[in-house]
Amino acid sequence: MVFTTTSLFKGIACPQSESCKLTNCIFAHDHQPKSTSRQPESEQQRNATTAGSKEDAVGPPLKRRRVTYDRAEDRPPSKADLIRSELTQSRNANAAKAAPSPLGDQRVKAPQSLKRSVSPPAKTNTQATSATTIQANDNLVDSKATSTHDSTSQQKLDLNPRLISNDPAGHAKRSVYLKHLHGEMVRLNMQLVERKDVHFKVGLTLQNHELVQLAVDEEETLAREHGGVYGNVVKNRIGAYRKMNSDEWIAHIKSTPVFAKKQSPSVQRHAAPDPPKVIDTGLSPTEEVAVAAYLVADDQKSLAQFGYVPTPPTPEQAAEAAAAVEASRNYEICDRCTSRFQVYPQRNVDGLLTSNGDCRHHPNRKIFPQRTKADTGPKEPYYPCCNEAVGSAGCAVTEHHVFKASSPARLAAVMPFIITPENDRPAKTKRGKKVKAVAFDCEMGYTTLGLELIRLTAVSWPEGEELADVLVRPFGIVLDLNSRFSGVWPEDMARAIPPPPASLPPQLDGSTDHTPTPPPPGLPIVDSPCKARDLLCSFLTPTKPLIGHAIENDLNVVRLCHPTIIDTVIAFPHPRGLPLRYGLKMLCSKYLGRAIQQGGERGHDSLEDSRATGDLVRVKVGEKWKLMRATGWTFVQGRLVGPAAPDDGRRGSEGGLGESLVDKAINGERKRKKRGVGADGEEGASLASFLERSKDTGATADGKLSHELSVAYLEDETIGSDK
């Protein structure tokens, strides 16, 4: 095997010394003394050496050996080194001639950096700087930054297509198209300059570098978004510019980022946001409730796999879950950092509530970046809180690990579930009006028992009037109020006030007392989640719609099974279906034109969220009513009447309560008789005669009769509302 011996024996003298006849010896040879390495040999010495070598040579002449040097300074200068030294000397000589120093070499000129102001600047006045001075300084800095940016972009920007991945046509063709685009833009801009009737020319006419930037940006956009048909699209765009007149060019310029950057900063900073969309369903509140009945979830049992609890767990199941928790010695998995830790519900001997130290986690959920056609490689998910990739160390540290129990049996072990009880006298609004439907939202915090209720808010629907907004004292010891999202902070719990006594009568309409009352120092607080649930149920009946966004989370934390729910997650479904769902913030921005949850670090507001949820349902009611009206549905004397079509006595797959409409009407009649309403009244007589006529004529299978019965059922809760 042959191996390289380069530089392995260069430090060892050759054993053959001067008699070594190898062409490339691996040992060191020192033929020239170091003192004469830089001195060239004379002609006589070279001749004498050549003659002696000829006389002493026994074989062929030896090849010239490579000369090595122990130090870099021993090596003779090369031609490149000589050229560099000459250039340096010439530059120094020119600089000395241009700026001669009166003191010669005795004094060295101080650099300019020593004359700059230090940071922070010296304090010259103890008083605060005036607002006018601060504003002037800010404007000066902004103007300098703007001018610097403009000059830099003007210098660097070139009429050259930008390099992108998956180039659709190649650099040569793209350059041709770009020149045509730029030429048409220049022509239109010159026409605009020559016009005499156009005002504000400073904002509408563009400079050369701005036209170049506009053309380069548009060509890049076309190349990225229309790679497959880039040639056709860019040709059509060039043709559109050729046919464009000055007015169309002005409208186009106003929509470009180049024009927006030229506007004054004050106009951009204080621009008013778009007003929220006006919700107009074309229906009265009572009619909206009637149409909303067709948005009720059909079958909650089919939704049990996604976290909905249609029926309460049995006491045996709850006891079994509690025994399992005790057998596991309260070991849990952290809901944030996925670490395993132990919970001490009553604190351990060291006074700790959880084990395994602090919790280091990412507060926001990971995001999967959206892929485009130009993306060839993989795109890794990341955390928006710190823009770090998944798998990186957490950016937030909290004192305790937290957990969340999701099993219905385990939830029932902490607080049992109930079904919404019958309520003959539901509570009314603060103005004394009857509640047609309820929209509510809950905020949760982490305790030693899991995720518990800490705030409950309910509003009437569709009016949006506040019914209840209370803080809740949980059963377990608080580990983390989750203030970043719940909006409930420790100071809110500290300054909470007791709830008002239930014996006080509500303020009725027409009252003369309009004295403004001062706002309370804080929200009222109730002693337990059970009392908060009782407060919510005081406004409900089993048939009254309960509205929420991802309502299974709110119902589970309240431990309530309600048979009539409207969930905006189901009303506005995700294209891929559950468990994927749209967020409330996105739905409000899209359908209401409203920005919610803008509190930042202060968290969410459950009152704002509950009203936004109710407004989303109103939008869906308007859409539903347009479809129903197009198929023949109408309101006749306050009754929802549909087209005459065969029906099986049920409301259909869209409503999905599943009970016969005749039975519902009869049950509603019985309820009214129990309350003393309708026994001898006009409404009760009309309904009884209606049912009698249906039996005599045998028209129970008729579609019109079924729809009128559905109206009778829906008007069950509206009868006697004025009493």
Side-chain angles (χ1 to χ4, degrees), residues 627-675:
L627 296 176
M628 296 174 67
R629 185 174 55 184
T631 56
W633 290 77
T634 184
F635 281 96
V636 178
Q637 297 181 355
R639 292 182 176 183
L640 184 60
V641 180
D647 201 342
D648 59 353
R650 297 181 180 270
R651 201 180 64 191
S653 59
E654 295 178 340
L657 289 181
E659 185 180 355
S660 173
L661 296 175
V662 177
D663 297 337
K664 290 181 179 180
I666 295 174
N667 293 335
E669 178 70 16
R670 291 174 180 173
K671 293 178 184 177
R672 287 191 294 273
K673 287 184 178 180
K674 288 184 179 180
R675 296 195 299 264

Side-chain angles (χ1 to χ4, degrees), residues 179-431:
K179 290 180 181 179
H180 283 288
L181 279 174
H182 179 256
E184 296 300 327
M185 291 180 180
V186 171
R187 179 185 62 82
L188 291 170
N189 188 63
M190 292 301 298
Q191 291 180 0
L192 193 63
V193 172
E194 296 173 357
R195 287 185 58 175
K196 305 299 182 181
D197 58 336
V198 178
H199 301 285
F200 307 106
K201 289 186 177 180
V202 177
L204 294 176
T205 56
L206 303 179
Q207 300 179 8
N208 292 333
H209 69 279
E210 293 173 340
L211 290 170
V212 172
Q213 179 182 355
L214 186 62
V216 171
D217 291 343
E218 184 166 0
E219 192 277 336
E220 181 187 9
T221 303
L222 296 177
R224 288 184 181 275
E225 297 181 357
H226 307 282
V229 291
Y230 166 76
N232 295 335
V233 174
V234 71
K235 290 176 183 177
N236 292 337
R237 191 59 186 161
I238 295 172
Y241 279 127
R242 290 179 179 175
K243 299 178 182 178
M244 190 177 294
N245 54 31
S246 299
D247 295 333
E248 296 174 347
W249 172 251
I250 292 174
H252 173 68
I253 287 297
K254 289 182 178 180
S255 63
T256 59
V258 176
F259 179 79
K261 290 181 180 179
K262 298 180 67 174
Q263 303 305 304
S264 61
S266 59
V267 174
Q268 297 180 7
R269 189 179 299 115
H270 302 289
D274 295 336
K277 299 179 182 179
V278 179
I279 304 175
D280 185 14
T281 60
L283 302 172
S284 64
T286 304
E287 293 173 344
E288 287 186 10
V289 175
V291 177
Y294 290 84
L295 301 178
V296 174
D298 294 339
D299 185 13
Q300 295 189 36
K301 292 183 179 180
S302 61
L303 301 175
Q305 57 179 327
F306 304 114
Y308 294 79
V309 183
T311 57
T314 61
E316 292 77 11
Q317 294 174 339
E320 183 180 357
V325 172
E326 184 177 0
S328 67
R329 298 172 56 190
N330 293 98
Y331 273 97
E332 305 290 347
I333 300 296
C334 183
D335 194 33
R336 292 172 171 170
C337 67
T338 66
S339 298
R340 190 170 183 265
F341 69 102
Q342 187 177 10
V343 182
Y344 308 112
Q346 303 300 328
R347 297 184 183 271
N348 63 354
V349 294
D350 298 329
L352 299 178
L353 293 173
T354 59
S355 64
N356 204 4
D358 296 337
C359 177
R360 189 177 185 87
H361 64 282
H362 293 280
N364 291 353
R365 296 179 179 177
K366 61 182 177 182
I367 291 180
F368 293 88
Q370 188 174 3
R371 296 181 60 86
T372 60
K373 294 182 179 179
D375 296 330
T376 56
K379 278 197 171 184
E380 299 296 335
Y382 67 95
Y383 292 104
C385 50
C386 58
N387 293 329
E388 293 292 337
V390 174
S392 60
C395 58
V397 179
T398 53
E399 183 180 1
H400 302 289
H401 296 278
V402 295
F403 72 99
K404 172 186 176 181
S406 57
S407 172
R410 186 169 178 185
L411 293 175
V414 178
M415 175 180 170
F417 281 82
I418 65 169
I419 300 178
T420 305
E422 292 289 346
N423 191 0
D424 294 337
R425 295 182 179 180
K428 298 183 179 180
T429 65
K430 297 179 180 179
R431 299 183 179 181

Side-chain angles (χ1 to χ4, degrees), residues 458-531:
V459 298
S460 63
W461 189 86
E463 297 85 0
E465 183 179 353
E466 179 183 335
L467 300 177
D469 189 7
V470 295
L471 298 175
V472 183
R473 186 172 288 110
F475 290 123
I477 302 176
V478 175
L479 297 176
D480 191 344
L481 288 175
N482 203 23
S483 304
R484 181 185 177 95
F485 301 100
S486 66
V488 179
W489 295 81
E491 53 266 25
D492 297 331
M493 304 291 285
R495 64 168 178 258
I497 60 176
S503 58
L504 294 179
Q507 184 178 356
L508 302 178
D509 292 338
S511 60
T512 58
D513 187 10
H514 299 286
T515 304
T517 58
L523 291 174
I525 187 170
V526 295
D527 295 336
S528 66
C530 294
K531 292 189 177 181

Side-chain angles (χ1 to χ4, degrees), residues 1 9 361 390 407 692 718:
M1 177 177 180
F9 304 98
H361 64 282
V390 174
S407 172
E692 189 66 27
T718 61

Side-chain angles (χ1 to χ4, degrees), residues 438-441 546-551 554 565-569 613 617:
V438 177
F440 85 118
D441 184 64
L546 185 61
I547 302 170
H549 178 78
I551 199 172
D554 302 322
I565 61 172
I566 300 177
D567 196 344
T568 52
V569 168
T613 304
V617 175

